Amino acid sequence: MLDRVAHLTWRRPKLVLAVVGALTLLAIAVGHDVEHRLKAAGFTDSASESERAIGLLRDRLGHDAGPGIVLLVRARGHGRLDTADPAVRRDVARLAALLERTRYVGRVVNPLERPAEGAALVGRDGRSLVISGELSTQDVENDGGEAAKDAKERIGRSRWAVKVGVAGYAPSFNEVNDQTREDLTKAELIAFPALAVLLLLVFRGVVAAAIPLLLGGMSIVGTMLVLTVMSELVDTSIFALNLTTALSLGLGVDYALLMVSRYREELERAGPGWDAHRITVLTAGRTAMFSGLTVAAAMAALVVMPQRFLYSIGVAGAAVGALSALVAVLVVPSLLALLGTRVNSLAVRRGPAVSDESDSWYRLAWAVMRRPVAVGLASALLLGALAVPLFSTTLTGPSAEAVPPGAASYEPTAYIQRHYPRDITEAVTVTVQGRASPAELARYGRSLRRAAHATRASPFARASRDVSFANLALPRPALSARSQDSVRAIRALPPPGDTRVLVSGNTARFIDQKRSLADHLPLVVVLVAVPTLVLLFLLTGSVVLPLKTLLMNALTLAATLGVIVLAFEDGVLHGPLDYTGPSAVEVTSLVFLFAVVFGLATDYAVLVLARIKEQHDRGVPNEEAVAIGIGRTGRVITAAALCIAVVFGAFAVSSVFFMKEIAVGQAVGVLLDATIVRALLVPSLMRLLGDWNWWAPRPLRVVYRRFGLREG
């Protein structure tokens, strides 16, 4: 196949570029407005107990049992709020009416109109009151965000005699999404110029440096088309679009470096012509294809996750991996066929390019292989030590703690949490499905309050003949360990009579989220590991090298996650990163980083193993093949890792805590893998195993001869 690609891109380069260009324009035309088709993050599992409880109550009531949007009303000047003042009562009534007309709001409680029901909504110090809005939608993260926007716009169009603040889960989540979008734009403004400068240094010339940006751009617009189609079939998270930009640029740099550096190598060896072109496609092109497929396989494993955030990222990452490899194999050879030696035009500096072969890396590989046990053990122990903090991490999820201090809802939310019971914004809702008498419900309610150590609990109310519910206020924040213990204690209580109990609210949602991730993670690991093993076997013909790659990837991943715990939970990077989030790690970030870091680590493994395998197939002894392979890829991988780390690191400017964690995690992962793993672990383990590196049982050797892709 690659031989046919080489002939096509050599004989018809303009045709190939024209077709790819036309498809790119089509992708832009169809997918340019994809952002407006995507939804907010989506961290919940619709099959979880908390989501089923919310759905049940919405079916019966037409709205949620707890407020999703609350309006905090205070006197201007922070004095006492005179609720007998006609102007105050008029403003409160108008605010309640506006909230009732807001999209996705099913019910509003005005404490001045319903004093019995809204007694807890009036501050004990007489300085404030709260108007609560209960949402009519199941999708609090997306539709709730639309409700929050609508409420703010309606309220902002009028002048008020009172001070009004908008708070609650929906406004908080919406502001985090909006802030994330702003921060991503800011990050891109930092990343693109920095990447352009690095590429000029890496490629040494303007023409060659433009190639990875072209590849990244084509991959981005292609993935936008994929997400547009996906959004017509299933709810798709906007965070998938955020991943697309960074990963497309990263893989574009990888594959452009790989192919241009190999082409330059062949130009020096044989001069411009068909031989240089063909060898570049058959070697570097093959490596790019394998690498793209392994990245795509790692990311695609997330599709089995029920959370919109994760399955959307899985599709986007798989599309980026496949498209980046495809574009690299078609576009780069076509450009090189047209450019020839002009690929080195518009040089900005003299001397060897960073992408050239390096004697220093060759000598380092031999130095490592002279002491393989000491170096290998020290490297593994270092990665293991970095991973240790992971085993004592505190996990967190979406909550008011994610809201940056500068956001509009931050101060009203903090005020409500100081002056009101927590069920105003973070209620635990207990739903009883089935026939239970008032006496049984009353007894059960007393048991709930004792088991949960609740500071306040509403009596059970009927949603229908067979469904009742009550709200509880816990003494600690929703995602704290004590609150989670309280919800577990509630779920452990025997239900009243012949009924079924479902618990919802942010605490229950977080517990269910962790359980869902834990339940699905083993399948994700299998779906990542098996294709990786198969693809690496088809690349190398060995069963040892794929298994060793999985082990090293696991070490890289564990060390990366350990660094995240040190940086954000233990506070090592709080100052340098201006970090204001919780001292914890966002739980879905771990799954996200697992797929991305594993995919990129495998990407680098493919780049190295392909060059080592090429030398081995030529009969070069194992140690010399390793040294040559590392010598010819050391600069490429280091430069690629530095470039992609800059792209990922730029996203750490975000004021949203989980974006900082993801950005730093990705940057640390690629840097650890490109340095400690590729420079130290790979040569030491290759030296220790010797010829066993290339071992495969006889039946698999037959399979490799039949299906393995070699240089042809």
Side-chain angles (χ1 to χ4, degrees):
M1 181 187 74
L2 287 176
D3 197 55
R4 289 195 292 270
V5 170
H7 279 87
L8 177 64
T9 54
W10 175 253
R11 295 173 178 172
R12 300 285 188 273
K14 293 181 180 178
L15 175 63
V16 173
L17 293 175
V19 171
V20 174
L23 292 174
T24 302
L25 293 176
L26 175 63
I28 293 172
V30 176
H32 71 280
D33 63 343
V34 64
E35 182 177 354
H36 303 294
R37 302 169 183 261
L38 306 181
K39 294 194 171 187
F43 294 116
T44 59
D45 180 353
S46 60
S48 64
E49 176 182 326
S50 55
E51 288 299 298
R52 287 185 285 115
I54 293 170
L56 176 64
L57 284 177
R58 288 212 177 97
D59 287 343
R60 300 297 197 273
L61 296 171
H63 54 79
D64 200 353
I69 300 177
V70 296
L71 305 182
L72 176 64
V73 180
R74 288 173 285 183
R76 294 194 176 276
H78 303 290
R80 291 186 64 82
L81 182 68
D82 185 2
T83 56
D85 185 340
V88 172
R89 297 186 72 88
R90 185 169 54 249
D91 274 1
V92 171
R94 287 176 58 208
L95 285 166
L98 288 175
L99 192 56
E100 282 180 337
R101 293 197 291 270
T102 296
R103 294 178 64 194
Y104 302 116
V105 172
R107 180 174 179 265
V108 173
V109 178
N110 177 354
L112 300 185
E113 291 182 356
R114 302 178 187 177
E117 184 181 355
L121 300 180
V122 178
R124 293 179 181 177
D125 58 5
R127 294 176 179 271
S128 64
L129 64 82
V130 168
I131 304 168
S132 72
E134 295 162 357
L135 300 178
S136 60
T137 174
Q138 182 80 18
D139 193 346
V140 179
E141 295 173 355
N142 187 77
D143 296 344
E146 294 298 319
K149 288 180 184 177
D150 192 15
K152 288 180 180 179
E153 289 174 1
R154 291 175 185 274
I155 293 167
R157 286 196 288 263
S158 301
R159 296 180 64 85
W160 306 97
V162 293
K163 182 179 179 182
V164 184
V166 183
Y169 185 86
S172 297
F173 198 92
N174 183 62
E175 286 177 356
V176 169
N177 271 332
D178 288 345
Q179 186 64 52
T180 300
R181 288 188 181 120
E182 292 178 16
D183 292 343
L184 288 170
T185 301
K186 188 191 308 180
E188 288 168 359
L189 292 175
I190 296 171
F192 275 96
L195 181 60
V197 171
L198 279 173
L199 289 174
L200 284 174
L201 295 175
V202 168
F203 284 96
R204 197 177 56 187
V206 174
V207 173
I211 294 177
L213 295 178
L214 178 64
L215 295 189
M218 288 181 170
S219 177
I220 289 170
V221 297
T223 307
M224 288 167 62
L225 175 60
V226 171
L227 292 177
T228 299
V229 174
M230 181 181 174
S231 67
E232 296 296 321
L233 304 173
V234 65
D235 289 346
T236 306
S237 173
I238 195 165
F239 279 101
L241 194 58
N242 304 334
L243 169 75
T244 296
T245 300
L247 192 58
S248 293
L249 289 173
L251 294 182
V253 169
D254 281 358
Y255 302 153
L257 266 169
L258 173 68
M259 299 195 73
V260 172
S261 61
R262 185 57 187 253
Y263 184 66
R264 283 172 162 171
E265 183 182 324
E266 296 305 321
L267 285 180
E268 291 182 3
R269 184 186 63 83
W274 163 243
D275 285 343
H277 183 90
R278 180 176 180 273
I279 292 174
T280 299
V281 173
L282 295 184
T283 55
R286 178 186 65 147
T287 304
M289 286 297 296
F290 266 97
S291 174
L293 289 174
T294 54
V295 172
M299 297 303 300
L302 294 181
V303 172
V304 301
M305 285 292 189
Q307 291 80 10
R308 180 169 66 222
F309 169 71
L310 292 174
Y311 71 66
S312 300
I313 282 175
V315 172
V320 169
L323 287 171
S324 296
L326 184 62
V327 170
V329 170
L330 291 174
V331 172
V332 176
S334 299
L335 289 172
L336 295 176
L338 294 174
L339 291 170
T341 56
R342 286 173 295 176
V343 71
N344 298 319
S345 299
L346 303 179
V348 295
R349 68 181 183 87
R350 298 181 182 277
V354 177
S355 56
D356 290 346
E357 182 178 357
S358 169
D359 290 338
S360 298
W361 281 95
Y362 177 86
R363 290 194 297 271
L364 174 63
W366 269 113
V368 168
M369 287 188 288
R370 291 188 188 98
R371 298 174 179 82
V373 175
V375 174
L377 187 60
S379 302
L381 288 175
L382 175 59
L383 293 174
L386 290 175
V388 168
L390 178 63
F391 298 99
S392 60
T393 185
T394 300
L395 299 176
T396 189
S399 73
E401 289 186 279
V403 179
S409 69
Y410 182 85
E411 191 276 332
T413 298
Y415 183 95
I416 291 171
Q417 290 178 345
R418 288 195 306 270
H419 293 87
Y420 289 85
R422 286 196 174 269
D423 59 337
I424 301 301
T425 56
E426 296 180 337
V428 173
T429 301
V430 180
T431 303
V432 177
Q433 185 179 22
R435 298 296 178 88
S437 68
E440 288 177 318
L441 290 175
R443 286 195 299 272
Y444 183 62
R446 291 191 292 272
S447 298
L448 286 177
R449 187 161 185 168
R450 286 193 302 270
H453 305 288
T455 58
R456 196 174 84 92
S458 67
F460 272 94
R462 294 282 184 185
S464 66
R465 291 180 63 186
D466 63 340
V467 175
S468 304
F469 69 94
N471 286 338
L472 285 76
L474 301 181
R476 306 291 296 172
L479 305 190
S480 68
R482 288 187 182 178
S483 293
Q484 293 180 63
D485 289 342
S486 294
V487 168
R488 293 187 186 100
I490 292 171
R491 287 177 166 173
L493 287 174
D498 188 19
T499 63
R500 182 177 63 151
V501 173
L502 301 172
V503 185
S504 58
N506 204 21
T507 309
R509 183 187 295 116
F510 181 54
I511 292 172
D512 292 344
Q513 181 189 35
K514 291 191 293 182
R515 181 177 298 146
S516 174
L517 294 175
D519 289 345
H520 290 86
L521 193 57
L523 178 58
V524 171
V525 172
V526 170
L527 292 177
V528 169
V530 171
T532 301
L533 288 171
V534 171
L535 287 168
L536 288 177
F537 168 73
L538 293 177
L539 175 70
T540 63
S542 164
V543 297
V544 175
L545 292 176
L547 290 171
K548 189 169 63 176
T549 298
L550 286 186
L551 176 62
M552 289 188 291
N553 286 3
L555 279 173
T556 300
L557 181 64
T560 299
L561 298 180
V563 171
I564 294 302
V565 175
L566 282 173
F568 296 99
E569 185 175 338
D570 297 338
V572 173
L573 292 183
H574 281 193
L577 291 176
D578 190 24
Y579 183 73
T580 57
S583 296
V585 178
E586 206 280 324
V587 63
T588 53
S589 299
L590 296 179
V591 182
F592 173 86
L593 286 171
F594 164 74
V596 174
V597 173
F598 188 96
L600 291 174
T602 307
D603 174 38
Y604 294 152
V606 169
L607 300 188
V608 175
L609 291 176
R611 292 307 294 261
I612 296 174
K613 177 68 163 54
E614 181 183 335
Q615 297 301 314
H616 179 266
D617 288 349
R618 293 176 178 175
V620 177
N622 178 71
E623 288 77 9
E624 179 66 10
V626 171
I628 293 173
I630 290 176
R632 292 181 177 175
T633 59
R635 279 179 168 170
V636 171
I637 292 177
T638 305
L642 180 60
C643 289
I644 197 171
V646 166
V647 173
F648 287 146
F651 289 79
V653 301
S654 175
S655 55
V656 177
F657 84 95
F658 61 81
M659 289 301 298
K660 282 186 183 291
E661 292 180 349
I662 288 173
V664 172
Q666 291 175 124
V668 168
V670 296
L671 291 176
L672 284 177
D673 197 76
T675 53
I676 296 175
V677 174
R678 301 302 147 210
L680 303 176
L681 264 183
V682 167
S684 59
L685 292 179
M686 294 289 286
R687 169 66 178 82
L688 287 171
L689 290 173
D691 290 337
W692 283 101
N693 285 304
W694 311 102
W695 179 83
R698 186 184 301 274
L700 288 182
R701 290 201 296 272
V702 175
V703 172
Y704 177 72
R705 285 194 293 270
R706 176 67 178 84
F707 298 104
L709 290 185
R710 292 173 293 278
E711 287 180 24

